[in-house]
Structure formats: structure tokens, C-alpha cells
């Protein structure tokens, strides 16, 4: 496996073009957050905005709208249970992330199925959290979009039918092939499976073992994917920066909160976009 480290991500995060505008940096639709897990989608959406996505719209339960507006005024908000509104927004998105806090209810399944049916092959789709569990339980197929799954080991077990103790690189590559998608397998040393290569992270620490940390990563992957032409670079560099920020904070903190990672994203991106010459 190739190692994800400071040297490997050289040149992956470009400088911004002088004549660019917000549409240059993508339109992201972030879907999730039921009545009990609004925090998950606030973290995902915040990570997407702080990663620099041009325009971010959040589809979530109405009960979360006020909190989202108050916490993240940069984002627009729609009702995820209104299918017509959701599909209208979906059609304009360049990147979609679905699943954080989505829940496993019949209504959540309806939303997921509607998205899977209507995404296009040009769009990049990140499937996380509850959406992964729903895909596994209902045996749903990867859609035509350029798809990335972001399971933790428990979700990977459901999706790939591989227990954490049974997993190895060969079996994971095989499972990835059947899924026809990129896989970010989250653990203490996260692994990324592309079609023809696998990468292993060299950063991350147990201070990051807090609820919402994966929701945050999903938002970063979406935000990076909205801006970087190279989809693989977007996935690799977001996984790296998420854990690198976590390591920096853990030098002085017993526990690292997802919101603290989010706050540091713009500074770290600046550092990595200017440090290296293409
Ligand atoms: N603030 C909010 O609103 C928050 C909302 N959230 C949202 O909650 C939703 C459900 O997501 P979830 O990951 O909490 O539950 P679920 O899919 O049932 O998986 C748990 C199972 O997997 C296992 N397992 C987990 N990690 C493992 C590992 N590394 N290695 C091995 N096993 C591991 C674990 O096994 P155990 O250790 O308990 O035996 C358990 O069986 C999702 O939509 C998410 O976005 C959360 O983000 C929290 C903050
Ligand atoms: N011990 C650890 N060392 C390094 N990274 C960790 C550790 N524990 C958790 N993480 C990271 O935190 C994130 C957890 O993701 P996930 O379980 O989906 O969280 P949530 O669903 O609560 O947001 C992953 O990116 C994982 O790599
Ligand atoms: Mg998760």
C-alpha cells in the first residue's frame, strides 16, 4: 500500500485562480440529519463549507433548519422529506454527500433510493453513515455516479460481509471491485481503496475517537471533491488533512472535537496549497 503522508499529498491542493468565483468551486448537496441527529449533518455541512466548496445546500429534517442557519449561515437549507424540492436541488449539484445522521427509517430509505435513482454519471457521490447501513440492509446497488463509500469497520462489515478480524488487503480490494466505487475504510490507520491501488494513512490518533468525527470527514471529502479536478487527490488529501489536524490538536489535548478540526481546515489548506510548487 502507498503511504498517505506529507510528501504524498504534495501538489494535490491547488492555489485558487485569480478570476474564479463561487461556482468554480462546486455546488454541494449535503443530505442527512433526521429529528434525532441534526448535529451530524451540521458537522458535515460545516466541514464542506470550511473546506471551500463554493455553494452548499443542506437537505435535512425541518427541525434542524434553525440550528443550521444559526450555526452555519453560509449554507442554504431545504426539507429532505420534500422529494420534489430535493430532486430539483440534486439536479444542480456537482457533489452530493448522503448519510450522516440520516437514520434508518422508511422515510430515510425513500430519500436514499430517490437519490440513487436520480444521480448522474458526471456527479460525485459520497455515501456515509446511515446511508451505508441502508445500502447493506436493503442490498442496494452503487448508482451511476462517481461514488465513494466511507465506512468505519462496523459499516464495512455490513457492506462487504467481512468481519474486522477477517479483513485483509486482498479481500478488501475484491469487495471494492464488486461495489464499483472508491472505499475509504475508516480506522486508526484509515485505508483508501481505488480501482488499481490502495493507500494507508500515516496520521490519526485516539483523541479523535469522538462521535461526529466521521461525519466531519465526509464533509471534507465532499468539499475537496467539489474543488479538485482529480477525484482521487480530493479523497487522499482530505483524509490526510483531517487526521493531520487531529494529530496537531492532540499534542496538547486529551480529546479532539470535530468542530475544532473544522475550524482549522482553511489554515491547513492554505499551508498545503502554498508550500509546494507543481
Ligand atoms: N451528533 C450526531 O448527530 C451523531 C450522529 N451520528 C450518526 O449516527 C448514525 C449511526 O452511526 P454509528 O457509527 O454511530 O452507528 P452504527 O452504524 O450502528 O455503527 C456502530 C456499530 O459499528 C461498530 N463499530 C463502529 N466503529 C467501529 C470500529 N472502528 N471498529 C469496529 N467496529 C466498529 C460498533 O460495534 P461495537 O463496538 O459497538 O461492538 C457498532 O456495532 C450515522 O448516521 C452517523 O452519522 C454519529 O456520527 C455520532 C454523532
Ligand atoms: N483511534 C483512532 N485513531 C485514529 N483515528 C480515529 C480513531 N478513532 C476514530 N478515528 C477516526 O474518526 C473517524 C470516525 O468515523 P465514524 O466512526 O464514522 O464517526 P461518526 O459516525 O461518529 O462521525 C474516522 O475518520 C476514524 O479514522
Ligand atoms: Mg460515521
Amino acid at each position: 500500500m502507498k503511504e498517505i503522508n506529507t510528501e504524498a499529498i504534495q501538489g494535490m491542493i491547488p492555489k485558487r485562480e485569480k478570476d474564479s468565483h463561487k461556482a468554480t468551486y462546486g455546488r454541494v448537496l449535503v443530505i442527512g440529519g433526521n429529528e434525532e441527529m441534526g448535529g451530524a449533518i451540521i458537522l458535515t455541512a460545516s466541514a464542506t463549507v470550511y473546506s471551500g466548496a463554493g455553494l452548499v445546500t443542506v437537505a435535512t429534517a425541518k427541525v434542524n433548519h434553525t440550528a443550521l442557519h444559526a450555526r452555519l449561515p453560509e449554507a442554504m437549507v431545504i426539507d429532505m422529506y420534500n422529494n420534489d424540492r430535493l430532486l430539483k436541488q440534486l439536479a444542480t449539484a456537482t457533489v452530493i454527500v448522503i448519510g450522516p445522521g440520516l437514520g434508518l427509517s422508511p422515510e430515510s430509505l425513500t430519500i436514499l433510493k430517490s437519490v440513487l435513482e436520480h444521480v448522474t454519471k458526471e456527479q460525485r457521490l459520497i455515501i456515509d453513515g446511515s446511508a451505508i447501513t441502508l445500502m447493506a440492509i436493503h442490498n442496494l446497488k452503487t448508482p451511476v455516479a462517481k461514488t465513494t463509500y466511507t465506512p468505519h469497520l462496523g459499516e464495512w462489515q455490513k457492506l462487504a460481509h467481512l468481519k474486522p478480524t477477517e479483513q485483509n488487503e486482498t479481500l478488501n480490494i475484491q469487495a471494492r471491485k464488486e461495489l464499483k466505487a472508491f472505499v475509504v475504510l475508516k480506522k486508526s490507520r484509515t485505508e483508501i481503496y481505488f480501482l488499481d491501488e490502495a493507500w494507508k494513512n500515516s496520521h490519526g490518533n485516539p483523541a479523535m475517537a469522538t462521535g461526529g468525527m466521521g461525519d466531519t470527514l465526509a464533509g471534507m471529502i465532499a468539499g475537496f471533491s467539489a474543488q479538485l479536478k482529480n477525484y482521487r487527490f480530493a479523497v487522499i488529501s482530505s483524509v490526510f488533512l483531517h487526521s493531520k489536524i487531529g494529530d496537531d490538536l492532540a499534542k496538547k489535548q486529551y480529546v479532539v472535537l470535530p468542530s475544532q478540526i473544522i475550524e482549522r481546515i482553511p489554515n491547513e489548506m492554505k499551508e498545503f496549497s502554498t508550500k509546494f510548487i507543481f
Side-chain angles (χ1 to χ4, degrees):
M1 278 194 204
K2 295 186 183 177
E3 189 178 283
I4 303 173
N5 54 32
T6 306
E7 288 69 41
I9 75 143
Q10 275 191 49
M12 287 189 183
I13 300 172
K15 282 188 184 157
R16 290 200 152 190
E17 296 286 340
K18 202 169 171 219
D19 290 330
S20 59
H21 57 95
K22 62 191 174 194
T24 315
Y25 301 111
R27 291 185 166 83
V28 183
L29 176 59
V30 182
I31 308 166
N34 65 10
E35 290 71 11
E36 293 167 0
M37 296 188 285
I41 212 64
I42 291 177
L43 289 169
T44 305
S46 302
T48 307
V49 167
Y50 279 67
S51 298
L55 282 161
V56 178
T57 300
V58 186
T60 186
K62 269 190 172 166
V63 70
N64 301 321
H65 289 201
T66 306
L68 230 149
H69 276 310
R71 182 89 191 192
L72 190 69
E74 294 84 358
M76 291 158 280
V77 189
I78 63 170
D79 177 10
M80 71 175 178
Y81 299 118
N82 180 337
N83 190 51
D84 289 346
R85 185 67 191 89
L86 183 69
L87 291 185
K88 204 170 152 216
Q89 201 63 43
L90 185 72
T92 69
T94 51
V95 178
I96 302 113
V97 51
I98 184 164
L102 181 66
L104 306 176
S105 71
E107 293 78 12
S108 308
L109 178 62
T110 301
I111 293 166
L112 176 62
K113 281 185 171 171
S114 185
V115 168
L116 295 178
E117 194 184 323
H118 289 94
V119 284
T120 65
K121 60 181 188 327
E122 289 77 31
Q123 290 173 318
R124 295 176 176 182
L125 173 68
I126 292 103
I127 302 183
D128 181 56
S130 307
I132 297 178
T133 302
L134 285 171
M135 302 278 306
I137 297 174
H138 299 281
N139 200 19
L140 303 175
K141 297 278 162 284
T142 304
V144 294
K146 297 176 175 69
T147 303
T148 298
Y149 291 93
T150 55
H152 58 53
L153 285 171
E155 290 160 339
W156 185 235
Q157 177 171 353
K158 294 177 223 167
L159 195 62
H161 310 292
L162 290 172
K163 287 189 186 135
T165 46
E166 290 169 0
Q167 292 172 25
N168 60 46
E169 191 179 341
T170 313
L171 289 175
N172 287 339
I173 287 173
Q174 184 56 36
R176 192 230 71 92
K177 273 190 190 142
E178 286 162 20
L179 282 173
K180 296 190 176 65
F182 295 167
V183 172
V184 176
L185 179 55
K186 296 179 299 194
K187 46 185 174 173
S188 54
R189 287 284 173 265
T190 292
E191 293 165 3
I192 306 177
Y193 292 93
F194 295 120
L195 183 59
D196 47 3
E197 60 183 15
W199 290 71
K200 191 181 182 83
N201 200 4
S202 59
H203 287 264
N205 66 82
M208 296 174 71
T210 53
M213 197 54 86
D215 304 329
T216 300
L217 177 63
M220 288 182 72
I221 296 174
F224 282 53
S225 296
Q227 300 167 83
L228 273 61
K229 259 198 204 96
N230 187 316
Y231 193 17
R232 291 186 187 210
F233 285 4
V235 175
I236 294 167
S237 56
S238 49
V239 165
F240 171 79
L241 280 196
H242 176 257
S243 56
K244 152 104 176 27
I245 296 170
D247 282 355
D248 289 346
L249 291 168
K251 281 178 194 155
K252 290 196 170 172
Q253 292 184 200
Y254 184 75
V255 62
V256 171
L257 302 188
S259 315
Q260 296 180 305
I261 302 256
I262 291 165
E263 274 172 24
R264 299 271 290 251
I265 299 169
N267 301 69
E268 284 298 319
M269 288 183 81
K270 179 75 176 173
E271 171 107 1
F272 278 90
S273 71
T274 50
K275 201 182 249 175
F276 303 108
I277 313 289
F278 283 94

